[in-house]
Amino acid sequence: MSFDLAVVVAALPAILAGLQVTLGIWLAALALGIGLGFAVAALRHFGPGPLGLALRLAVEVLRGTPFLIQIFLLYFGGPFVGIRLDPVPAGLLGLSVYAAAYFSEIFRAGFVAVPRGHVEAAQCVGLSRAQIVRRILVPEMTMLVLPQCVNMAVILVKETAILSIIAVPEATAVISALGSQQYAFVESLFLLALIYWLLVEACGWAGRALERRLSKFRFA
Amino acid sequence: MTLPAPAIAIRRLCKSYGQTEVLHGIDLEIARGATTCLIGPSGSGKSTLLRCIAFLEEATSGTILVNGQPLGFEEQADGRRRRLPQARIREVRSGIGMVFQQFNLWPHMTALGNVTEALVTVQGLSRREAGERGMAQLRRVGLEARARHYPSELSGGQQQRVAIARALALEPKILLFDEPTASLDPELTGEVLNVMRDLGDEGMTMVVVTHEIGFAATVGQRIVFLDHGRVLLNGPPAELFAPPRHPRLTQFLETYLDRGAAMLLKPA
Amino acid sequence: MTARLFELMLKAAGYTVVISVASIGIGLLVGILVCAAKLSPRPWLRWPAGVFVSFFRGVPLLVQLLLIYNLLPAVGIVVPSVVAALVGLSLCTAAYQAENLRGGFASVPRGLLEAADMAGLSPWQQFRRIRAPIALRLTVPALVNEAILILKASSLVSVVGVIELTRTAQNLAASTYEPLLFYSVAGGLYLAINWIVAGGGALAERGLRRGRLA
């Protein structure tokens, strides 16, 4: 077993293209997941009861089942109910909805964790409901949930690898295909592991740097 | 007639954390069978001093003799300190009990379990014997009925009384208290102070770091006032609190005014 | 879906549970060792443990499984795919459980150990009687959480050819052209198992509640 660098160099354009797909889907799902997750958390926190219950059920189901099953349902089951998607949009949609479920739980816990006294103090000085949400709850919550959000971002990078199973041309699909064509499976998988590991470490590092920068806003 | 040897003798004790020195050469003797109260502003070093006596902190220099035995370090002929073997340290420390501000009861054990833990694991007593002795100590602090409760099921005052029973179970010669009522609600401090008062009446040697000036003045036979890591005043409460008072002490009493202190400050 | 096919799915779900439980158990044992190494004052123990944790938490489980599945034969170890799957799942969860344990040990208040010190307990007695029991209690919620994560993650071993719940659903979906039905049933079964695990965890936590940090 020897690592043939020439194989990697020759396939570099393909590898970079795969990486680009991984990064693109990751960042898009992250943004969509955060936006959708925040909306769900806000609706569950402030919205009418029955809606909250329905959303809770949906979140429970999404968090209680494997992502692989969800993506199979969407990609293979979708056409039977008129949802016919190519691998990339299917992967992006599936990953975003999956992420939204987890983000909504993070935000919901964040809303609850903001001390009641801070809200009461805002009520006393006459802030409106909307102002309290915008000026007090959201900024305080952001500080509280930042570490979990970074954690979730890391989980999402790793979940993108699963999309290779429905033939999304991302890094895992491209590099393992390369490996089997060249009979260099172990080498290419090590390369792949290294790429993810660097991505995850970089993400964790960036998250910690952001936390440090925001730490001065942290309440005692 | 020779004076009885002090329970604790402290010589030139210094303690630094990195660059900052918090105790600057403490010289102090703690009398046997008496209650000594350490008072002083926060940051004066009183808790650090107490933790040095408990050997939870290692002093940077100086010596502490407990019942005549060196604690932790021994001064050699050339003036250098030598760390004593672990067995000696343990032996000397076994004569000291400690009660913490945060109680520090072990949450996974019942009240009785907390009191008997060291009797079983350190002294090797049988469970039955340890249980009997533990119950006796709980009775002493009035908590026999709570023996099977876990710390999470007890009030703060009850937790602290269990902590006192835990310290008493090992039959220490000296009991150290680090602000034992500081994390209690005001209405719960009384029960703890009463237990301590009874112990004092029984002749236990106690060193109490406290902000309860009223308790210090009435139960303490000796008051040690620390300021900026030095012993500023040391004497019986009647002497210390009576006018003319040291200006630093007056300043301190005015800042830490509680009911007891207010009483003391009122001109007679 | 006929009763026979449903029975097949149930059996596969049982297999998924067996794989998950075995992985969690092996992972806990390995995790304890890794945690001990990480807390060790010796750099030659701490450093590899750190790399182990960082690697298995930083690389997607799918890639880990593919690596182990292909690496073992490449170095001359021929094992059934289920063994490769177990190795992958166990090592992955071991890394997470080691971190959970480390967090538990770090959360034991220092004062409780000082109290033990004052009571004369030796360092080993302090560890065995005070530190470890409290730390383990603190990690129970994280352990339950990890069990649920591993149960879901075990669906990935279908990729290396283990015929568990997901793979069975895949096979049946392909042969009957009813992916909606079989993937939904599989999802429902995963959900049901997770609820049972979560319920059991809640019961265990309630049982330990009296001894929680006061």
Side-chain angles (χ1 to χ4, degrees), chain A residues 11-12 17 20 22 38 40 48 51 65 69 80 85 92 97 101-102 105 108 114 120 124 143 196 218 220:
Chain A
L12 213 54
Q20 218 173 346
T22 291
F38 187 84
V40 169
L51 180 64
T65 52
I69 292 284
F80 288 84
L85 292 171
L92 179 58
V97 170
Y102 285 86
E105 278 298 288
R108 205 176 59 87
V114 174
E120 285 166 1
C124 288
M143 280 309 309
Y196 280 112
R218 185 149 218 148

Side-chain angles (χ1 to χ4, degrees), chain C residues 72-107:
Chain C
L72 289 181
V75 296
I77 306 170
V78 180
V79 292
S81 56
V82 65
V83 175
L86 270 178
V87 170
L89 273 179
S90 303
L91 290 182
C92 180
T93 183
Y96 282 94
Q97 293 193 57
E99 282 301 276
N100 289 343
L101 286 168
R102 205 169 62 96
F105 277 105
S107 313

Side-chain angles (χ1 to χ4, degrees), chain C residues 116-187:
Chain C
D117 201 14
M118 287 313 295
L121 271 68
S122 69
W124 168 242
Q125 284 172 330
Q126 285 179 36
F127 176 82
R128 198 172 51 88
R129 302 281 310 163
I130 312 293
R131 231 179 140 195
I134 296 175
L136 289 179
R137 265 154 222 262
L138 288 173
T139 53
V140 165
L143 182 65
V144 174
N145 203 26
E146 182 62 22
I148 290 174
L149 284 176
I150 281 300
L151 187 78
K152 290 189 287 175
S154 74
S155 64
L156 289 180
V157 306
S158 62
V159 176
V160 295
V162 180
I163 317 289
E164 39 63 83
L165 183 50
T166 297
R167 188 56 178 258
T168 304
Q170 237 175 318
N171 291 347
L172 292 176
S175 58
T176 60
Y177 284 100
E178 287 196 86
L180 272 180
L181 175 65
F182 283 99
Y183 290 133
S184 299
V185 170

Side-chain angles (χ1 to χ4, degrees), chain B residues 120-256:
Chain B
V120 176
T121 53
V122 180
Q123 301 193 345
L125 263 57
S126 71
R127 296 229 155 257
R128 214 175 62 88
E129 202 178 341
E132 281 166 13
R133 270 174 58 178
M135 284 308 277
Q137 296 303 339
L138 285 174
R139 198 173 306 130
R140 202 163 160 192
V141 298
L143 284 174
E144 211 181 352
R146 294 277 185 274
R148 304 279 165 212
H149 286 57
Y150 281 84
S152 63
E153 300 164 329
L154 298 173
S155 74
Q158 289 170 336
Q159 288 187 54
Q160 191 61 300
R161 281 149 69 199
V162 172
I164 294 173
R166 177 174 71 180
L168 287 172
L170 297 164
E171 294 171 351
K173 301 269 194 313
I174 301 163
L175 259 189
L176 309 176
F177 292 83
D178 188 6
E179 307 206 22
T181 56
S183 23
L184 294 176
D185 291 335
E187 71 267 25
L188 298 178
T189 59
E191 55 185 277
V192 173
L193 294 178
N194 283 337
V195 169
M196 291 168 64
R197 189 170 288 137
D198 291 345
L199 286 172
D201 290 344
E202 289 169 29
M204 173 65 79
T205 306
M206 298 197 290
V207 183
V208 186
V209 169
T210 186
H211 280 137
E212 301 271 346
I213 305 299
F215 172 83
T218 52
V219 178
Q221 275 111 1
R222 201 142 193 110
I223 306 289
V224 176
F225 179 62
L226 275 97
D227 196 28
H228 292 113
R230 291 196 170 78
V231 175
L232 200 59
L233 301 168
N234 180 357
E239 218 170 86
L240 240 64
F241 290 128
R245 252 189 317 267
H246 192 286
R248 279 295 290 157
L249 181 59
T250 305
Q251 199 188 350
F252 167 72
L253 290 177
E254 277 164 0
T255 346
Y256 285 84

